[in-house]
Amino acid sequence: MVTISKSIKNQFQRIPRRVIDLFIQLMIVLSIIEFSIETLPDISNETRRLLSAFEIFSVTVFTIEYIARVVFSKDKKAFIFSFFGIVDLLAILPFYLSTGLDLRSIRAFRLLRLIRILKLARYSKAMKRLHLAFMIAKEEIVLFTFVSLLMIYLSGVGIYYFENPAQPDSFKSIFHSLWWAVATLTTVGYGDIYPITVGGKIFTFLILIVGLGIVSIPAGIVASALSKAREMED
């Protein structure tokens, strides 16, 4: 049994790691496409059978991959309970459990493996620099996130008191007003709810101005951190 296990390991180790990673990536992308095609309402029974066959094949590949990673892992327990180990397992469990719950979309989390595949020569320095930039600016990013959430809440409170008397159905509560605050501060402006009072319109104008700054601040923070990261590398 030990001899067979070593033989299997030797066979896998002869295959270049990048070839395996590219093949798994391809299977992930194709399985997501297959999952999407299954939702089409007018596909034929023959197409559904082909999709089902591909689903079986892809799950088989993912199962072999999961078992191989467990076997080859130096610390098997650590891998099994690691983030990628859990995602690998969740990618195949729904198929075997057959609970009737359509959980295959969780396989999309496996696309995080693209980080491993894309570590080519021309991308490696850029990825390291981006990671370093986030480390440099992490305190500013956390502070910005907190300020943004605070601004969203204050905006929801403000527009509620301006518009609730005039539009009780649209601005029923502060919680209902938070949707308006998010859409306005991000300058998306879906337009499903909007102010009609003078005070509400003036308040909205001020919030839009603040929103323009909120959208641009993260780009500036990251750009500055990237410049510092480049200087540190040089």
Side-chain angles (χ1 to χ4, degrees):
M1 188 69 180
V2 175
T3 304
I4 295 175
S5 178
K6 288 183 178 180
S7 176
I8 294 174
K9 284 186 177 183
N10 292 332
Q11 291 297 326
F12 273 102
Q13 289 172 351
R14 291 177 184 175
I15 304 174
R17 176 65 180 271
R18 186 167 178 270
V19 172
I20 297 175
D21 287 342
L22 288 173
F23 176 70
I24 295 298
Q25 179 191 353
L26 178 63
M27 292 302 302
I28 292 168
V29 173
L30 290 178
S31 64
I32 293 174
I33 294 174
E34 174 261 333
F35 172 73
S36 302
I37 294 176
E38 282 184 350
T39 64
L40 293 174
D42 299 325
I43 58 176
S44 64
N45 292 331
E46 180 63 26
T47 302
R48 290 191 183 278
R49 284 193 291 270
L50 291 174
L51 293 174
S52 178
F54 178 79
E55 174 68 6
I56 295 172
F57 175 72
S58 63
V59 170
T60 302
V61 171
F62 295 142
T63 303
I64 294 172
E65 180 211 6
Y66 177 72
I67 294 173
R69 290 189 184 278
V70 172
V71 171
F72 296 158
S73 178
K74 294 180 179 179
D75 191 341
K76 295 178 174 54
K77 185 177 180 181
F79 170 76
I80 291 172
F81 292 100
S82 67
F83 173 76
F84 285 114
I86 293 173
V87 170
D88 286 345
L89 183 61
L90 292 178
I92 59 177
L93 267 184
F95 179 83
Y96 293 109
L97 294 178
S98 301
T99 58
L101 298 176
D102 197 357
L103 301 177
R104 287 172 296 172
S105 59
I106 200 170
R107 198 176 298 155
F109 286 105
R110 294 169 62 88
L111 290 174
L112 292 173
R113 292 177 181 274
L114 288 172
I115 296 174
R116 300 176 181 179
I117 299 173
L118 294 178
K119 283 186 177 180
L120 303 175
R122 61 176 180 173
Y123 293 107
S124 60
K125 290 185 178 179
M127 293 299 294
K128 290 179 181 178
R129 191 180 303 126
L130 182 61
H131 177 264
L132 181 58
F134 276 107
M135 291 297 101
I136 293 173
K138 63 180 179 181
E139 293 182 359
E140 289 82 356
I141 292 173
V142 170
L143 177 61
F144 168 78
T145 302
F146 173 76
V147 172
S148 298
L149 293 174
L150 182 61
M151 284 301 303
I152 289 173
Y153 177 74
L154 293 177
S155 300
V157 172
I159 200 65
Y160 169 75
Y161 281 104
F162 277 114
E163 293 297 320
N164 176 259
Q167 302 186 76
D169 292 334
S170 297
F171 298 89
K172 297 178 183 179
S173 67
I174 291 176
F175 293 103
H176 289 83
S177 302
L178 287 176
W179 169 246
W180 172 90
V182 171
T184 304
L185 276 170
T186 56
T187 68
V188 175
Y190 285 111
D192 50 347
I193 53 176
Y194 52 88
I196 59 175
T197 65
V198 175
K201 290 178 180 179
I202 295 174
F203 182 75
T204 300
F205 171 75
L206 296 175
I207 294 301
L208 281 170
I209 298 300
V210 174
L212 291 173
I214 287 179
V215 169
S216 61
I217 286 174
I221 292 175
V222 175
S224 176
L226 281 171
S227 297
K228 292 181 181 178
R230 184 183 292 274
E231 292 175 1
M232 292 174 65
E233 286 184 347
D234 296 338

